[in-house]
Each structure stands twice: as structure tokens, then as C-alpha cells.
Amino acid sequence: MSLNERISKVIEYSQLTSSEFADEIDVQRSSISHITSGRNKPSLEFIIKIKSRFPELLWDWLVTGEGEMLKPKSADPEITEKPIEEEKVHTTPLPDLFTMINQDDEFGTDETEMELPQTPSGESFIPSQGKASEPISDSQRLDNSAEQILSQVIGNQTNKIKRIVLFYENGKFESFEP
């Protein structure tokens, strides 16, 4: 019996029409007619789809035509084969983000608490400012007030402002010339 004839027999066994069988195993309807007519040979993916939908079929019969079409039914439920899903090894789930954070000893430590890497002797090291770092908020005032900056600019009259350019987050800019 050819592979095409065995597939026709599986379709007959399923008691479905060719179109319903194609929908059942998730293939194009035309591929069923091409295979059963002998025009095309089924791919391995096609055969796997049949076997996964009809696990009671035996691989040997489906692929080579040898042996029986269906697995023998056993009266003892413990002797029957377990479905493929039960045979798979159950893996432990991966830890979630919060579990990983709880296991991370360095999580939540400030950079100042962490030890700095040693720099090669050819590079210079700039120590951090001694001032305690506070979180910056949108409404926090800068260290140099606008008056101080303005007085520095006015006091330094040798350098005159030629142009002031403001850049906006949306990519636009404005240019002002005194």
C-alpha cells in the first residue's frame, strides 16, 4: 500500500470529508486532493500533523505501511501507553523577576556603596564630589541661580553674546540674536 493510499485510509478512518480533514490537521484543502490523487507526496510535516491529531495511529504503519494501523487497545488502563504530553519531562519554571531580585545581593545598592574597579595606571581617575547625592526632581533649583549666571555674563563684558539657541525635545529650535 502506498503512502498516498494510507493517507486516504486515515481520512476514511477519521470519518471526515477531505475538506474537514484538511481543516482538522491544519493544512490547505488542495494539498489533501493532490496527495490522495498521487500528484504530490506528503511532506514530513504533513505526516507529523496527521500523527499529532490521531495519536492512536502507529508510526510504522503510517510511514512504511508495516504492521497494524492502530495501536492495540488494552483492557488494563495501566498497560496502555501514556499520551506524549505525559511522557515529556516536566521542567521547573524559570524564576520570575522578583525572585531574581531577592536573590541578587547587589540589587538596590547605590553606586557609591559598590567598590569601584581599579583603573589601569595609564588612566587618570577623577574622584566623585564629596557632596551627598540627592535625587533630582523636576522642580529642584540648580546650584547656580539665574541671577548668579546673569551677573557672571554681565561682569564678563569682554565676551559679548552673539546668539542664543534653544533646542526643544521635539527637535525644533529657536535662535535669538541681540
Side-chain angles (χ1 to χ4, degrees):
M1 180 184 300
S2 71
L3 183 57
N4 299 352
E5 292 171 334
R6 289 193 297 278
I7 291 176
S8 295
K9 192 164 183 170
V10 171
I11 295 171
E12 183 182 311
Y13 163 77
S14 70
Q15 299 178 345
L16 300 170
T17 66
S18 295
S19 299
E20 292 170 337
F21 185 79
D23 293 341
E24 189 71 27
I25 65 169
D26 196 28
V27 296
Q28 291 182 355
R29 293 177 179 183
S30 60
S31 64
I32 298 291
S33 65
H34 292 303
I35 288 171
T36 55
S37 69
R39 177 179 173 204
N40 294 348
K41 292 189 177 198
S43 66
L44 177 61
E45 181 183 2
F46 185 88
I47 293 172
I48 290 172
K49 286 183 177 187
I50 291 174
K51 179 66 174 135
S52 64
R53 173 54 188 91
F54 300 99
E56 64 272 14
L57 297 173
L58 289 171
W59 275 111
D60 288 342
W61 178 83
L62 190 58
V63 175
T64 64
E66 297 174 4
E68 296 294 318
M69 177 177 157
L70 301 173
K71 293 180 183 178
K73 300 213 179 214
S74 176
D76 188 2
E78 293 182 12
I79 297 176
T80 59
E81 293 186 31
K82 295 179 181 177
I84 294 174
E85 294 83 27
E86 292 181 18
E87 292 177 7
K88 291 182 182 176
V89 177
H90 295 288
T91 58
T92 57
L94 294 174
D96 62 0
L97 177 63
F98 300 108
T99 305
M100 292 174 65
I101 288 173
N102 290 338
Q103 293 172 353
D104 188 1
D105 294 335
E106 293 182 1
F107 182 79
T109 59
D110 291 338
E111 290 179 7
T112 56
E113 294 176 15
M114 295 175 67
E115 198 170 306
L116 296 174
Q118 295 293 328
T119 58
S121 60
E123 294 182 15
S124 62
F125 176 72
I126 300 173
S128 63
Q129 299 286 333
K131 191 176 185 180
S133 61
E134 296 178 15
I136 298 174
S137 66
D138 291 339
S139 62
Q140 183 176 354
R141 296 183 67 84
L142 298 175
D143 287 340
N144 293 335
S145 66
E147 293 85 20
Q148 289 176 338
I149 294 173
L150 189 57
S151 66
Q152 286 176 355
V153 170
I154 293 173
N156 194 357
Q157 290 296 323
T158 58
N159 294 330
K160 293 192 177 192
I161 296 174
K162 181 177 181 180
R163 181 185 318 161
I164 299 173
V165 180
L166 299 175
F167 293 96
Y168 298 101
E169 288 181 347
N170 62 4
K172 295 182 180 181
F173 67 93
E174 289 183 63
S175 177
F176 300 99
E177 295 183 20

